[in-house]
Amino acid sequence: MSIYKVFNEEFELQSGEKVTLETALQKKKFGKIYIMLGINELGYDFDQTVERFNEAIALIRELQPEALIFIQANLHITNAKSEDSELFNNTNIDLSNQAVGELADGKSIFYLDVNPLYDDEEGGLSEEFTTDHAHILGKYYVDWVDFILQNAVMMED
């Protein structure tokens, strides 16, 4: 999904039914909603992308007024991969993360940044967690989940 198509594309529920995100959010009440979008949009107009993100948060808030919303930072890529691209690099990822992080109000919308868990001392994705320099290996997802659970609980209090 992308922030530009998040409400248009259908996905499959556990039941097998295909729905849009808007329909899914209308069908069931959620206590928490986690969002991580934006990495693929680094090539788009920055201000428009942030505005689209803001609009998406507003619609989610409208459909789920009681839910806590957790915006997750996009993960860094390795420094080697970052240096190879003028567009998809850690500087742009940080700018995007900062902009969407500012949408959090600390009351019902929170920002989570798991990057410190996977970053090396230079601030890029550590090579030990990846083979393609961009994605975390599946065996490390459990650490990500633990981070979310620990930090989401602290933010609720």
Side-chain angles (χ1 to χ4, degrees):
M1 287 191 176
S2 82
I3 198 64
Y4 289 94
K5 297 179 183 177
V6 70
F7 290 105
N8 301 334
E9 292 184 5
E10 290 187 337
F11 61 93
E12 194 170 313
L13 298 174
Q14 289 179 334
S15 66
E17 179 185 7
K18 289 191 173 195
V19 297
T20 63
L21 180 59
E22 186 170 357
T23 300
L25 291 172
Q26 291 170 337
K27 284 180 166 265
K28 180 181 174 184
K29 182 178 177 181
F30 295 92
K32 297 177 184 173
I33 298 171
Y34 297 87
I35 302 166
M36 184 181 189
L37 294 167
I39 193 77
N40 295 326
E41 290 82 354
L42 289 180
Y44 291 67
D45 178 87
F46 181 80
D47 292 331
Q48 184 178 15
T49 298
V50 173
E51 181 55 32
R52 277 295 187 66
F53 212 108
N54 193 30
E55 291 167 3
I57 297 293
L59 182 54
I60 291 168
R61 170 58 56 231
E62 180 181 320
L63 296 169
Q64 295 285 322
E66 297 176 26
L68 298 177
I69 298 172
F70 293 89
I71 302 169
Q72 294 186 75
N74 282 293
L75 295 174
H76 289 139
I77 57 179
T78 63
N79 287 323
K81 187 166 184 79
S82 180
E83 291 168 4
D84 284 347
S85 177
E86 289 184 29
L87 188 58
F88 293 98
N89 58 54
N90 289 329
T91 299
N92 287 340
I93 291 170
D94 286 341
L95 289 172
S96 177
N97 285 345
Q98 179 182 351
V100 299
E102 290 174 4
L103 301 176
D105 62 13
K107 297 175 186 165
S108 64
I109 304 170
F110 302 94
Y111 178 70
L112 293 173
D113 185 357
V114 73
N115 278 302
L117 191 62
Y118 299 115
D119 280 354
D120 60 21
E121 53 281 340
E122 296 172 15
L125 174 61
S126 177
E127 305 241 357
E128 73 181 279
F129 298 115
T130 184
T131 56
D132 69 357
H133 302 274
H135 299 94
I136 301 295
L137 294 169
K139 66 183 180 181
Y140 297 111
Y141 285 2
V142 68
D143 299 323
W144 192 347
V145 170
D146 288 343
F147 175 90
I148 290 170
L149 293 174
Q150 290 172 7
N151 286 279
V153 167
M154 289 188 314
M155 291 179 176
E156 291 178 58
D157 295 336

